[in-house]
């Protein structure tokens, strides 16, 4: 076993870990990064396909208020393009397919009013939440005791509005409304500005795509100090003493003064801590399961839907296809359609054989777009619940009575160990921007002690 010494050991080379390393490097601190995977990027994964398409199998978009990501984009001179958002969107509900423009599907007036009021209510409630201490809201315990689905049952009156609201929730959280607490949902919406921002393309979380992908961006940030990153080294144990920490993987023993854990909460309890994690922290990580997200890419010779004056955006009530986006750009003639399968739908869908999954998706897209949709030049899907070092996407979630009881432990250091990761962010939690800010914060905590 090789022994190494450093000032700060960072566990995890996703956006949070790389952000922490970047800040420490700029401050002149010595550091090392241990990464369990054979690559950096964490929950970002960009692939260049045989069809010629470049696709993000993990995190994809950047919104206009995700300022830290934009700083990296400008620093690396990374090119971007806007998500295609022209023409008519399509809604499939029951046996009817209808066209609409804007974010909210065209439905009957009563259901439309119902849906609009519910979104306004959730935005108003989330606007009252402190993202630094959501558990201190006067109604925090009341909100945290119920699921978001319970709130929906009380405030949505029409079946169509409730169904469309649920699709929006699945798209944002990669989970069903019954899986998360109302307080956690309100915190999450406020963290990303509001619900409107999180479900929108224009001026929203789905506005901008990076050429070369989101993994390409983090590679550019780290490219001059890749020698500091040790891949294929999942952390097995972490021992603390008065002098610092000693961490062991299969091949390395690293001694450091400080440590930053920048991995999904669900993985933290897999590490052997000595002394053990404080019981409230251990309980918190037991109660933060990951969402379930599956991305399906359909690559076509051309974006034929554009010629038909369609945007490529579908909202559907038919499993497994619920939401699609056109994510192609002008540098290629290819049509790139991204299909999301999320929440319990994703958990069920991944259990099917790939040919069955492909057949189901293509049948549903063909039903909406016509026969041209039946024969893509390439089909690719990716389920993040199968990723051993993520166990899901997009983020760690909280069910009832977790945020109020254990949430205050999220960012609290444990002796020499500091905690990063997008789940710990106050702004843009669950997104790339939140990951960067969390890495910066954890590094700042360590720098402030010297």
């Amino acid at each position: 076993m090789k022994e190494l010494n450093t000032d700060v050991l960072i566990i995890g080379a996703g956006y949070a870990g790389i952000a922490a390393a970047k800040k420490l490097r700029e401050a002149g601190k010595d550091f090392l990064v241990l990464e369990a995977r054979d690559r950096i990027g964490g929950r970002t994964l960009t692939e260049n396909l045989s069809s010629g398409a470049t696709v993000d199998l993990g995190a994809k978009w950047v919104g206009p208020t995700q300022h830290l990501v934009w700083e990296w984009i400008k620093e690396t001179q990374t090119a971007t393009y806007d998500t295609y958002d022209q023409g008519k969107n399509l809604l499939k509900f029951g046996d009817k397919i209808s066209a609409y423009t804007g974010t909210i599907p065209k439905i009957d007036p009563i259901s439309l009013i119902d849906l609009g009021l519910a979104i306004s209510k959730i935005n108003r409630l989330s606007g009252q939440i402190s993202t630094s201490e959501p558990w201190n809201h006067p109604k925090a315990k009341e909100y945290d005791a119920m699921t978001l689905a319970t709130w929906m049952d009380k405030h949505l009156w029409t079946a169509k509005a409730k169904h469309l609201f649920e699709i929006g929730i699945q798209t944002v959280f990669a989970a069903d409304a019954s899986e998360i607490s109302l307080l956690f949902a309100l915190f999450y919406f406020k963290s990303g500005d509001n619900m409107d921002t999180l479900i929108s393309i224009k001026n929203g979380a789905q506005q901008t795509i990076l050429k070369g992908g989101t993994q390409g961006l983090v590679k550019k940030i780290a490219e001059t100090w890749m020698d500091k990153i040790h891949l294929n080294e999942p952390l097995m144990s972490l021992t603390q003493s008065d002098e610092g920490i000693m961490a062991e993987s299969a091949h390395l023993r690293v001694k450091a003064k400080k440590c930053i854990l920048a991995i999904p909460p669900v993985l933290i309890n897999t590490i052997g801590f000595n002394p053990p994690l404080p019981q409230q922290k251990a309980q918190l990580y037991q109660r933060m399961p990951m969402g379930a997200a599956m991305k399906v890419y359909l690559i076509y010779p051309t974006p034929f839907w554009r010629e038909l004056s369609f945007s490529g955006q579908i909202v559907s009530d038919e499993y497994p296809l619920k939401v699609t986006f056109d994510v192609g750009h002008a540098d290629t003639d290819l049509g790139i359609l991204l299909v999301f399968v999320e929440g319990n739908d994703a958990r069920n869908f991944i259990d099917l054989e790939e040919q069955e999954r492909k057949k189901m998706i293509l049948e549903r897209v063909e039903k909406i777009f016509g026969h041209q949709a039946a024969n893509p030049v390439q089909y690719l899907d990716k389920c993040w619940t199968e990723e051993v070092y993520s166990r899901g996407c997009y983020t760690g979630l909280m069910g009832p009575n977790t945020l109020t009881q254990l949430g205050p432990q999220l960012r609290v250091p444990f002796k020499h160990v500091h905690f990063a990761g997008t789940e710990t962010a106050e702004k843009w939690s669950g997104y790339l921007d939140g990951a960067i800010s969390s890495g910066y914060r954890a590094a700042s905590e360590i720098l402030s002690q010297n």
Side-chain angles (χ1 to χ4, degrees):
M1 182 174 287
K2 187 176 181 180
E3 294 199 6
L4 301 171
N5 288 276
T6 189
D7 289 335
V8 183
L9 175 64
I10 300 166
I11 308 300
Y15 266 62
I18 297 302
K22 184 177 190 292
K23 191 170 187 70
L24 292 170
R25 185 172 185 269
E26 291 168 352
K29 278 284 185 185
D30 189 37
F31 66 89
L32 291 173
V33 183
L34 294 190
E35 167 56 48
R37 293 181 172 94
D38 61 0
R39 59 175 180 82
I40 72 169
R43 285 170 259 176
T44 65
L45 178 59
T46 305
E47 289 195 7
N48 298 311
L49 304 184
S50 59
S51 58
T54 297
V55 298
D56 280 309
L57 295 175
K60 182 168 193 65
W61 284 287
V62 180
T65 62
Q66 294 176 27
H67 303 300
L68 298 177
V69 184
W70 280 106
E71 287 178 8
W72 283 18
I73 290 169
K74 291 170 184 173
E75 179 182 332
T76 58
Q77 297 182 323
T78 295
T80 66
Y81 63 95
D82 286 345
T83 304
Y84 189 79
D85 192 25
Q86 302 171 35
K88 296 173 288 186
N89 307 331
L90 292 171
L91 169 68
K92 182 203 168 293
F93 202 90
D95 296 327
K96 185 179 179 183
I97 298 173
S98 57
Y100 68 98
T101 56
T103 302
I104 304 300
K106 183 180 179 181
I107 51 178
D108 64 273
I110 299 300
S111 298
L112 187 62
I113 291 170
D114 192 20
L115 181 60
L117 287 173
I119 293 174
S120 295
K121 287 175 187 175
I122 213 79
N123 285 339
R124 187 173 68 251
L125 290 176
S126 67
Q128 301 166 2
I129 299 295
S130 161
T131 55
S132 60
E133 297 178 327
W135 44 82
N136 284 338
H137 187 277
K139 293 187 176 181
K141 289 186 177 179
E142 177 186 339
Y143 293 163
D144 206 29
M146 71 175 78
T147 66
L148 179 55
T150 301
W151 183 89
M152 289 167 58
D153 286 339
K154 292 181 179 179
H155 295 274
L156 282 148
W157 301 97
T158 62
K160 190 172 289 187
K162 187 177 293 185
H163 192 80
L164 291 174
F165 195 95
E166 177 73 46
I167 290 175
I169 295 304
Q170 290 174 350
T171 303
V172 170
F173 293 97
D176 297 346
S178 58
E179 298 179 63
I180 54 179
S181 89
L182 174 61
L183 182 65
F184 176 75
L186 296 177
F187 154 77
Y188 201 83
F189 288 136
K190 176 65 175 296
S191 173
D193 295 341
N194 53 46
M195 185 175 179
D196 284 314
T197 300
L198 296 190
I199 63 175
S200 296
I201 293 179
K202 187 177 181 181
N203 297 319
Q206 285 72 234
Q207 179 170 291
T208 303
I209 298 171
L210 310 189
K211 289 185 180 179
T214 52
Q215 189 187 12
L217 176 62
V218 78
K219 284 180 176 179
K220 289 178 185 177
I221 292 293
E223 65 184 354
T224 59
W225 37 272
M226 283 296 294
D227 59 314
K228 296 283 190 179
I229 303 173
H230 296 266
L231 302 176
N232 299 302
E233 296 291 350
L235 181 65
M236 297 189 302
S237 67
L238 199 155
T239 301
Q240 300 198 68
S241 65
D242 291 342
E243 291 73 34
I245 66 102
M246 183 176 72
E248 290 192 8
S249 66
H251 311 106
L252 296 176
R253 179 180 292 125
V254 184
K255 292 182 179 179
K257 297 172 185 175
K258 298 289 180 180
C259 178
I260 295 174
L261 277 182
I263 60 177
V266 73
L267 299 180
I268 293 178
N269 279 335
T270 67
I271 299 167
F273 286 90
N274 183 23
L277 277 175
Q279 58 91 16
Q280 289 202 24
K281 268 194 174 294
Q283 285 276 303
L284 173 64
Y285 303 137
Q286 289 172 15
R287 293 167 64 177
M288 289 188 70
M290 299 294 285
M294 189 161 189
K295 297 181 84 170
V296 179
Y297 279 98
L298 303 176
I299 316 298
Y300 294 94
T302 63
F304 61 86
W305 49 87
R306 297 184 187 182
E307 299 164 10
L308 302 172
S309 298
F310 294 127
S311 66
Q313 295 166 45
I314 298 170
V315 175
S316 169
D317 66 342
E318 188 173 8
Y319 166 83
L321 188 152
K322 295 295 179 65
V323 177
T324 72
F325 294 90
D326 175 345
V327 294
H329 56 83
D331 286 355
T332 175
D333 292 330
L334 294 172
I336 307 176
L337 198 66
L338 170 57
V339 181
F340 280 97
V341 185
E342 292 155 320
N344 202 46
D345 286 350
R347 289 187 283 266
N348 292 330
F349 192 56
I350 192 60
D351 282 339
L352 303 175
E353 295 295 327
E354 180 178 344
Q355 282 305 311
E356 179 64 17
R357 298 198 300 264
K358 179 179 179 180
K359 180 173 178 286
M360 290 177 70
I361 291 290
L362 291 181
E363 283 177 351
R364 283 148 184 77
V365 176
E366 183 181 7
K367 189 183 296 184
I368 296 170
F369 278 147
H371 69 276
Q372 285 180 280
N375 297 298
V377 295
Q378 192 166 3
Y379 170 96
L380 179 69
D381 61 30
K382 171 73 173 178
C383 186
W384 282 84
T385 57
E386 294 186 318
E387 282 272 321
V388 174
Y389 299 114
S390 296
R391 302 314 310 187
C393 254
Y394 316 115
T395 190
L397 306 170
M398 295 192 195
N401 301 316
T402 301
L403 193 50
T404 48
Q405 294 179 11
L406 300 169
Q409 292 294 321
L410 259 177
R411 292 178 286 273
V412 177
F414 170 41
K415 298 184 181 295
H416 304 298
V417 180
H418 296 252
F419 296 86
T422 190
E423 288 83 2
T424 69
E426 297 178 21
K427 185 68 176 171
W428 284 106
S429 178
Y431 290 77
L432 296 178
D433 206 78
I436 296 173
S437 70
S438 75
Y440 286 170
R441 172 192 49 75
S444 296
E445 289 171 356
I446 289 171
L447 293 171
S448 68
Q449 296 174 3
N450 292 278

